Amino acid sequence: MAEEKLNDEEIKKEEDNNNIVLSKKDIVKSFWRWRFFVQSNYNYERLQSTGVIFSLSPVLKKLYGPKTDEMSEALKRHIQFFNTEPAFGGTILGMTIAIEEEKANGAPINTDTINGLKTGMMGPLAGIGDTLWQGTLIPILLSFTLPFASQGNIVLGPILFAVLHMGLMLVLSYNVWMFGYRRGREGVQELLSGSALPKVMSFAQTLGAIVIGGLAAQFVDVVSPATLNLSSDVTLSIQEDVLDELVVGILPLGITLLTYYLLKKQFKPTTVLAVLIILGAVLAGFGIIGTAE
């Protein structure tokens, strides 16, 4: 664990008169800019590129000088299209800082290499980040806090969720940012090609699906009050005698799968919501579905 910690000595390495050396303060300042402003000027032409520029500017100014041709070229190469998952994808920016530092100190690194590295990594790391963050960690946090929120407990509901969400996000994004700087391009490529990552991703996807399934079963409140009169003294309850005998909670599961299907078909969330409202109103009007008492 001691070897994994990042301190000023590790960052500065062997300092001599010919090298421009970044301090830990420089890298952390760039991290905070990325974390809070990555999507502040999000646009459909270049997506997060202005956030990249804002984040890297302090580092680039120290490496190349504020008003130099090298600084101008650096800004041009980093204003290109860029889009990734902000927390986990920050690894790319940490890695980019390490490469820019090497370039500023004379390493034979060209613009195409840096842009190609960012373009090649932003997709895979976005997939990892979305799976681990949105598909696993957020549903787990919701499973802890939603029950309290549904009971009107503000502290253990939305406030606790916000605190845990922000805390985990900052810890995760800070560590992967520093990992990117510390290990550089080879370290990230090693991570992506390693045998442990597919196992972690598979576990995260499975856990996320289990948590979402549990949330759907608890908070999607749909039952069928419909009955069939088989004879003068025999009544068949659709919910208890048919649906519950097949799978307990099959209606909430069906609504959840329908929502997922519509979203996968690129329906807008507002359209999906309208479909569910209309479908629910029609089925409830005919007495086919209702809510549990």
Side-chain angles (χ1 to χ4, degrees):
M1 292 297 293
E3 296 179 355
E4 291 298 318
K5 291 184 178 180
L6 195 69
N7 52 48
D8 285 333
E9 287 73 18
E10 289 173 327
I11 292 177
K12 291 181 179 179
K13 305 168 186 174
E14 293 295 329
E15 185 173 358
D16 57 53
N17 294 330
N18 297 322
N19 285 349
I20 304 171
V21 181
L22 295 174
S23 67
K24 184 176 181 180
K25 181 179 179 181
D26 297 325
I27 301 168
V28 172
K29 181 178 181 180
S30 183
F31 163 75
W32 286 117
R33 284 188 167 212
W34 167 262
R35 186 62 267 172
F36 288 106
F37 297 100
V38 54
Q39 300 187 119
S40 59
N41 192 32
Y42 194 92
N43 63 85
Y44 285 106
E45 181 182 1
R46 298 183 182 184
L47 297 184
Q48 298 171 342
S49 61
T50 50
V52 172
I53 288 292
F54 183 71
S55 174
L56 295 182
S57 289
V59 168
L60 297 177
K61 286 179 181 179
K62 184 169 184 177
L63 293 175
Y64 300 113
K67 296 181 180 180
T68 62
D69 292 339
E70 290 83 1
M71 179 65 177
S72 177
E73 290 299 319
L75 293 176
K76 288 179 181 178
R77 63 174 164 265
H78 291 300
I79 199 63
Q80 302 303 315
F81 178 94
F82 186 80
N83 188 47
T84 191
E85 192 276 323
F88 207 91
T91 311
I92 304 170
L93 273 295
M95 179 174 52
T96 299
I97 292 173
I99 296 174
E100 288 285 1
E101 185 178 14
E102 294 296 323
K103 178 178 175 59
N105 287 308
I109 301 171
N110 57 41
T111 296
D112 291 338
T113 299
I114 297 175
N115 287 339
L117 182 67
K118 289 168 60 184
T119 302
M121 290 294 182
M122 66 185 185
L125 289 179
I128 295 172
D130 288 340
T131 300
L132 292 178
W133 191 249
Q134 300 178 26
T136 304
L137 294 177
I138 288 180
I140 290 175
L141 294 181
L142 288 174
S143 70
F144 291 152
T145 56
L146 270 179
F148 295 107
S150 65
Q151 297 171 6
N153 191 322
I154 297 178
V155 175
L156 295 180
I159 293 179
L160 179 61
F161 174 82
V163 171
L164 292 176
H165 184 280
M166 180 64 72
L168 287 174
M169 179 186 66
L170 291 178
V171 170
L172 172 66
S173 56
Y174 177 83
N175 280 280
V176 298
W177 180 281
M178 294 303 186
F179 172 84
Y181 177 80
R182 182 172 57 245
R183 300 297 294 274
R185 175 175 54 183
E186 291 76 14
V188 176
Q189 289 176 336
E190 178 184 346
L191 172 68
L192 294 176
S193 61
S195 59
L197 183 59
K199 296 179 181 178
V200 173
M201 296 300 294
S202 177
F203 173 79
Q205 291 172 335
T206 302
L207 180 60
I210 292 173
V211 172
I212 291 174
L215 290 174
Q218 183 175 0
F219 291 101
V220 181
D221 183 13
V222 182
V223 297
S224 176
T227 59
L228 290 176
N229 294 320
L230 301 181
S231 64
S232 59
D233 56 350
V234 177
T235 301
L236 180 70
S237 170
I238 299 298
Q239 181 66 48
E240 296 178 1
D241 299 328
V242 179
L243 298 178
D244 287 349
E245 292 295 324
L246 294 173
V247 176
V248 175
I250 191 172
L251 286 180
L253 174 62
I255 296 296
T256 303
L257 293 178
L258 174 62
T259 303
Y260 177 76
Y261 173 80
L262 293 176
L263 291 174
K264 290 288 287 184
K265 288 296 183 179
Q266 305 301 316
F267 282 81
K268 296 179 180 180
T270 52
T271 303
V272 175
L273 181 61
V275 169
L276 294 177
I277 291 174
I278 294 173
L279 181 63
V282 172
L283 295 178
F286 284 98
I288 298 175
I289 64 171
T291 58
E293 294 181 357

